[in-house]
Amino acid sequence: MSINVLPILMTVINLLSAAIYLKGFPLRSKLQTVGMALIFLVLLYDSPAGLVFYWTLNNLFSLVKNIFHKLKNPKLVLVILISLSGVLFGLYMPDRIADLTEKKKLLIMAGALVLQLPLVLYILLRFFGKSRPKREAKTNGRLYFAAVLFLTVLTGALIPSALIHDSTAEFVDVADPHSPLRYVLSACCYAVGTFLVWFGIFYRLSDKPMRRIFTYGMAALAVIAAADYLFFGTGYGNISSLLQFDTLPEAGRKEILLNLLVIAAIAAVMLLLWRKKEQLALVLVTAMCLAVTGMSVINCVGIARDYTTLKAGTKTAQEDHGARIPLSKTGKNVIVMMMDRAIGDLVPYLVEEKPELRELLDGFTYYPNCISFAQATNGASPALYGGYEYTPERINARAELPLVAKQNEALRLMPVLFDEAGYQVTVFDPPYAGYSEIPDLSIYDDHPDIRAWNTMNGGMPVTFNNGENTEKVRSRNFFAYSIFKMAPLAVQPVLYNKGTYNMPETELQIISSASEATGLSHTFMQSYNVLQHLGDITEFDTEEENTFLMMTNNTSHEPTLLSEPSYEPSAAVDNRSYDADHAQRSDGNGNAIELWDISAMTHYHANMAALLGIGRYCDFLRENGVYDNTRIIVVSDHGRPLGLHPDRIYTGEVNGMKTTLDTMGYECLLMVKDFGSTGFGPDEQFMTNADTPTMAMTGLLENPVNPATGSPVFGDYKSEGEQHVVDTEYRIVFNNGNTFTAGNWYAVRSDIRDVENWSFLGTY
């Protein structure tokens, strides 16, 4: 025997609702209602619980509705109950939930305050209602339409187009190029459907008083959305082409409170305008519509122009049957491998954790005391490729030339000199060639023997291809990103939801902690697979012809969580046990680092994967008999400030200006394997990544001269003592004049790991 509780509960609620509703009705009506309730009890007694639960809640809603209909002032009772529930929610919840963070407590309190708004609004309406006689509710369809049109253009056109226009090339797949404007079109469709169609349906189905409320709500929402987008949540840092930030976008408590106060102030002002000066509100919202429309058109025109330039000036490794790396078994081979954002400081920790790296990298000398000249590629890479003539200070000194010309000169220096010396030259992915995110390979057109390719971002058939999922994510998430940007700071983390924007199914990597993740990082996999498949595109020649390869790879640039201890990509990463056993990583010399946050851990993983990939390629060269006759330089353009060494945080002051700097951002990677060298170990001499051209050419090219300036490449530039480095704007869309934009300048000398050897020069 069993008793089905839900149908009985449903019937009891139904009878209570009927008793309240039918009070004063004749007996016949009451009997009919009771009979119907009993019939439903029989019919639904053995029905699935989900169906009965639905009917139970439906009857519960009817019961509450009937109770309120019997009250003298149901609206007042409702707003008082909502207010009390907010008070109880704010007082009770924070102390009852274990391990509640301060930010979550703040969010609960914000929710409790929001629940006070109906009561406040009720009082305000009662107050304003007494100031003048009650009149028939009039609707202002023009104000409503202007508000929803503004929200449509803001979320569907302006926010997506502004993000794409900042770096158009990042949203172009070089293997299958299409204009990024299709993502703007997709976001526009979502916006039109949401604000114009669905909100329009609700508006049309409403009566006149409700339309008045709709009009005020949409007008206030329009101004609030504009304020949130323009003034709040603007410092979240780098964002990928799949709309994922490097770190979780979370605002501080003060900024959240300020944001809530601004929202409340806007709501109050718009309420006054709605009640007193509705025409002025219409003018304001209409002007906003015209402004966002104009800016959207400008952005879209810029995107179309950038895409046309990109498509005309790029060549991928899929053309001409794919890129190849020619190496000679009898001649000399020189490989310069730039690993973007590889952090030199991590090398001893990586090697200590993975001792096999010593064998894979046998012959390399590691330079731990190596500095870069900037913390980003645009300021740091010219010196790496072109030598000391292209440090930021010397680039700025040649103010008569645009930055793009000097970047191209630096990228051409080694390939042109080796080409003119009779070497077979290959170039992969020269960064910011033509000041384009997708390198413009036409900078080598005047030397047809130089073979140049773009291999990353889908440019090689062997690389990770997730194009269909990328299109799906971008087509949907650009509109979701717009909603995120126009939302109050307190709810932005919920809308962002670890980079998924609450997408039900996604193949992106979602990192839940420093030890757990699901899915794969698309940007990491694009670069990682190029590194993994270098052996597949390498060709060996027995003829005595020298070769030179200059390549860029971003494996170390794209932080990701990998499966430990293999450090390989996995769709489900759970490193909790391994990380608990390796709470600290040691360098074997008594120094240890703690990878306490997601950024530090993911950068460590990316650098480990990069070093293992390089080591495996070296082993491949060794197996094919070309390792000893190959000089390999592995170098990075800059490091990354991860806060792993508190003693390397420099604080300085000059002329009343103060600065704080994590010097790890300038600790670039430099490892060199010369012809026939053996062993693996450090060399503590002071180095910079501008030594790269000299190290590549020494003993091979006699007295090389920069083909662009006529200046000698070799020179004792470090004899000048201190080197000057800068922290300047990293985005070339904003930093593309003749000199770098103003930034903090520092002087560094001797041991870069000692903050006493750093000094602040000022901001200029």
Side-chain angles (χ1 to χ4, degrees):
M1 294 291 294
S2 64
I3 297 175
N4 297 342
V5 177
L6 277 176
I8 298 173
L9 179 63
M10 175 197 71
T11 304
V12 171
I13 293 173
N14 198 2
L15 292 174
L16 287 174
S17 177
I20 295 172
Y21 180 74
L22 296 173
K23 186 177 181 180
F25 279 62
L27 180 62
R28 180 178 176 181
S29 297
K30 295 179 180 179
L31 291 176
Q32 286 178 343
T33 304
V34 171
M36 288 295 295
L38 296 176
I39 290 173
F40 271 100
L41 171 65
V42 175
L43 292 176
L44 297 177
Y45 190 79
D46 289 324
S47 295
L51 176 63
V52 182
F53 187 61
Y54 163 73
W55 277 101
T56 302
L57 293 181
N58 190 48
N59 291 337
L60 183 62
F61 176 77
S62 297
L63 173 61
V64 174
K65 182 184 68 174
N66 290 338
I67 291 174
F68 270 84
H69 274 302
K70 295 296 182 178
L71 298 174
K72 290 184 177 180
N73 195 338
K75 186 179 293 185
L76 177 61
V77 174
L78 179 61
V79 296
I80 290 175
L81 288 175
I82 293 174
S83 177
L84 289 175
S85 66
V87 172
L88 294 175
F89 182 70
L91 293 176
Y92 178 82
M93 294 297 289
D95 296 328
R96 292 292 178 176
I97 302 178
D99 301 325
L100 199 62
T101 65
E102 288 298 320
K103 288 186 177 180
K104 289 183 178 179
K105 287 182 179 179
L106 182 63
L107 190 61
I108 288 176
M109 296 307 297
L113 290 175
V114 169
L115 291 176
Q116 308 309 309
L117 292 179
L119 180 59
V120 173
L121 183 61
Y122 178 86
I123 294 172
L124 288 174
L125 290 175
R126 294 282 293 181
F127 171 77
F128 284 116
K130 292 179 180 179
S131 63
R132 58 183 178 181
K134 189 174 181 180
R135 61 180 182 178
E136 182 183 356
K138 294 182 179 180
T139 60
N140 191 332
R142 290 180 298 171
L143 177 58
Y144 168 81
F145 180 75
V148 294
L149 183 60
F150 171 82
L151 291 169
T152 301
V153 178
L154 177 70
T155 59
L158 179 62
I159 296 178
S161 66
L163 180 61
I164 295 172
H165 189 221
D166 276 353
S167 184
T168 304
E170 289 191 53
F171 301 94
V172 178
D173 186 344
V174 298
D176 184 23
H178 293 282
S179 173
L181 285 174
R182 59 180 173 171
Y183 305 129
V184 179
L185 177 61
S186 175
C188 281
C189 290
Y190 278 107
V192 168
T194 301
F195 295 109
L196 290 181
V197 176
W198 280 109
F199 276 70
I201 291 173
F202 299 145
Y203 179 80
R204 288 296 176 186
L205 291 177
S206 302
D207 56 16
K208 286 186 177 181
M210 184 55 67
R211 287 186 184 184
R212 287 273 296 162
I213 295 174
F214 253 113
T215 299
Y216 162 71
M218 299 310 291
L221 179 59
V223 181
I224 290 169
D228 285 339
Y229 171 61
L230 292 174
F231 305 114
F232 295 97
T234 57
Y236 289 149
N238 296 341
I239 187 170
S240 74
S241 63
L242 292 175
L243 311 183
Q244 292 180 309
F245 291 95
D246 282 356
T247 57
L248 290 177
E250 293 181 336
R253 178 183 297 183
K254 291 183 179 179
E255 192 177 5
I256 291 175
L257 289 175
L258 177 61
N259 178 236
L260 292 175
L261 289 174
V262 169
I263 291 173
I266 292 173
V269 170
M270 292 303 295
L271 179 62
L272 288 174
L273 291 178
W274 174 65
R275 297 282 298 183
K276 303 289 187 178
K277 299 286 184 179
E278 198 168 35
Q279 194 62 30
L280 182 58
L282 175 61
V283 171
L284 171 64
V285 177
T286 302
M288 291 166 53
C289 278
L290 294 175
V292 295
T293 301
M295 289 187 288
S296 300
V297 170
I298 293 172
N299 288 337
C300 290
V301 170
I303 293 169
R305 182 180 59 248
D306 292 344
Y307 173 70
T308 301
T309 304
L310 285 168
K311 192 172 181 181
T314 59
K315 179 175 64 174
T316 75
Q318 290 193 348
E319 299 176 29
D320 297 338
H321 309 292
R324 314 305 295 174
I325 300 175
L327 294 177
S328 173
K329 288 196 172 187
T330 54
K332 299 290 187 181
N333 304 303
V334 179
I335 298 176
V336 175
M337 187 179 295
M338 196 277 267
M339 303 301 299
D340 200 327
R341 202 195 284 179
I343 304 168
D345 175 76
L346 294 180
V347 171
Y349 301 94
L350 301 174
V351 173
E352 183 68 17
E353 183 178 347
K354 285 287 188 182
E356 62 266 32
L357 282 170
R358 295 183 183 275
E359 296 182 11
L360 293 173
L361 300 174
D362 181 51
F364 275 92
T365 298
Y366 157 57
Y367 295 91
N369 189 22
C370 185
I371 195 77
S372 65
F373 288 90
Q375 294 194 78
T377 302
N378 65 324
S381 64
L384 184 157
Y385 290 104
Y388 287 91
E389 199 170 1
Y390 295 94
T391 64
E393 192 171 45
R394 291 183 176 90
I395 282 179
N396 282 352
R398 299 169 62 199
E400 71 280 2
L401 288 177
L403 290 174
V404 59
K406 288 170 277 194
Q407 178 78 13
N408 292 344
E409 286 179 8
L411 293 172
R412 283 168 49 86
L413 184 135
M414 286 190 284
V416 168
L417 289 177
F418 275 104
D419 179 51
E420 292 178 349
Y423 281 67
Q424 197 175 158
V425 176
T426 304
V427 178
F428 288 172
D429 308 279
Y432 292 148
Y435 255 32
S436 169
E437 293 282 353
I438 299 177
D440 181 359
L441 304 180
S442 66
I443 68 170
Y444 302 111
D445 281 354
D446 61 339
H447 284 69
D449 291 335
I450 297 177
R451 304 197 311 168
W453 310 99
N454 288 322
T455 64
M456 295 184 290
N457 302 317
M460 288 177 63
V462 295
T463 59
F464 175 73
N465 187 2
N466 199 23
E468 183 177 345
N469 185 58
T470 300
E471 291 301 303
K472 176 183 176 183
V473 169
R474 289 176 181 165
S475 295
R476 183 259 188 192
N477 282 0
F478 261 109
F479 176 69
Y481 170 79
S482 296
I483 298 298
F484 158 81
K485 288 294 291 181
M486 62 171 268
L489 295 181
V491 300
Q492 282 187 354
V494 177
L495 296 174
Y496 181 72
N497 194 13
K498 300 174 182 177
T500 66
Y501 297 91
N502 296 289
M503 192 173 187
E505 295 180 6
T506 178
E507 297 177 22
L508 303 177
Q509 182 167 74
I510 308 304
I511 299 176
S512 53
S513 73
S515 300
E516 298 173 279
T518 57
L520 299 174
S521 168
H522 172 80
T523 51
F524 171 82
M525 292 300 298
Q526 291 284 23
S527 301
Y528 176 76
N529 276 284
V530 174
L531 196 62
Q532 293 297 103
H533 290 281
L534 288 179
D536 296 334
I537 61 174
T538 300
E539 298 174 336
F540 302 104
D541 197 336
T542 56
E543 294 184 9
E544 201 167 328
E545 183 178 11
N546 301 324
T547 72
F548 173 74
L549 168 66
M550 187 178 83
M551 66 170 289
T552 302
N553 188 267
N554 289 350
T555 298
S556 49
H557 184 275
E558 304 301 334
T560 189
L561 269 191
L562 304 170
S563 183
E564 295 169 333
S566 64
Y567 289 95
E568 293 180 349
S570 174
V573 174
D574 186 351
N575 296 328
R576 287 175 294 179
S577 177
Y578 186 88
D579 288 340
D581 295 337
H582 298 78
Q584 291 185 330
R585 263 67 166 190
S586 170
D587 67 351
N589 295 315
N591 302 310
I593 55 174
E594 295 183 3
L595 306 176
W596 53 273
D597 71 352
I598 291 174
S599 180
M601 183 68 82
T602 53
H603 276 86
Y604 185 90
H605 281 215
N607 276 261
M608 178 70 87
L611 215 58
L612 287 169
I614 294 168
R616 283 190 282 265
Y617 185 57
C618 289
D619 211 33
F620 169 79
L621 299 181
R622 194 178 289 113
E623 292 173 358
N624 285 275
V626 296
Y627 193 64
D628 288 338
N629 64 315
T630 301
R631 173 183 289 171
I632 304 174
I633 301 172
V634 180
V635 61
S636 69
D637 49 352
H638 56 88
R640 185 71 169 179
L642 298 177
L644 296 178
H645 301 286
D647 59 334
R648 298 187 197 174
I649 306 297
Y650 167 76
T651 301
E653 181 177 357
V654 61
N655 298 328
M657 293 186 297
K658 296 182 179 180
T659 183
T660 300
L661 173 73
D662 184 350
T663 60
M664 274 190 71
Y666 294 91
E667 292 187 34
C668 61
L669 170 67
L670 179 61
M671 300 192 309
V672 181
K673 187 209 80 70
D674 213 341
F675 303 113
S677 60
T678 58
F680 179 86
D683 184 331
E684 288 288 342
Q685 68 173 299
F686 177 51
M687 302 289 288
T688 79
N689 58 5
D691 291 315
T692 301
T694 298
M695 302 180 84
M697 299 176 190
T698 297
L700 301 176
L701 277 62
E702 186 176 352
N703 300 322
V705 174
N706 186 339
T709 65
S711 302
V713 175
F714 298 161
D716 191 14
Y717 294 97
K718 288 199 293 289
S719 64
E720 299 176 5
E722 63 186 23
Q723 299 294 316
H724 294 172
V725 304
V726 67
D727 183 11
T728 184
E729 168 61 51
Y730 70 94
R731 292 168 293 182
I732 58 174
V733 68
F734 301 119
N735 200 350
N736 56 17
N738 285 20
T739 59
F740 291 115
T741 57
N744 289 343
W745 286 83
Y746 304 89
V748 61
R749 59 196 174 276
S750 187
D751 188 347
I752 65 173
R753 294 155 296 187
D754 185 351
V755 294
E756 296 298 324
N757 293 325
W758 287 75
S759 57
F760 180 41
L761 301 178
T763 302
Y764 50 87

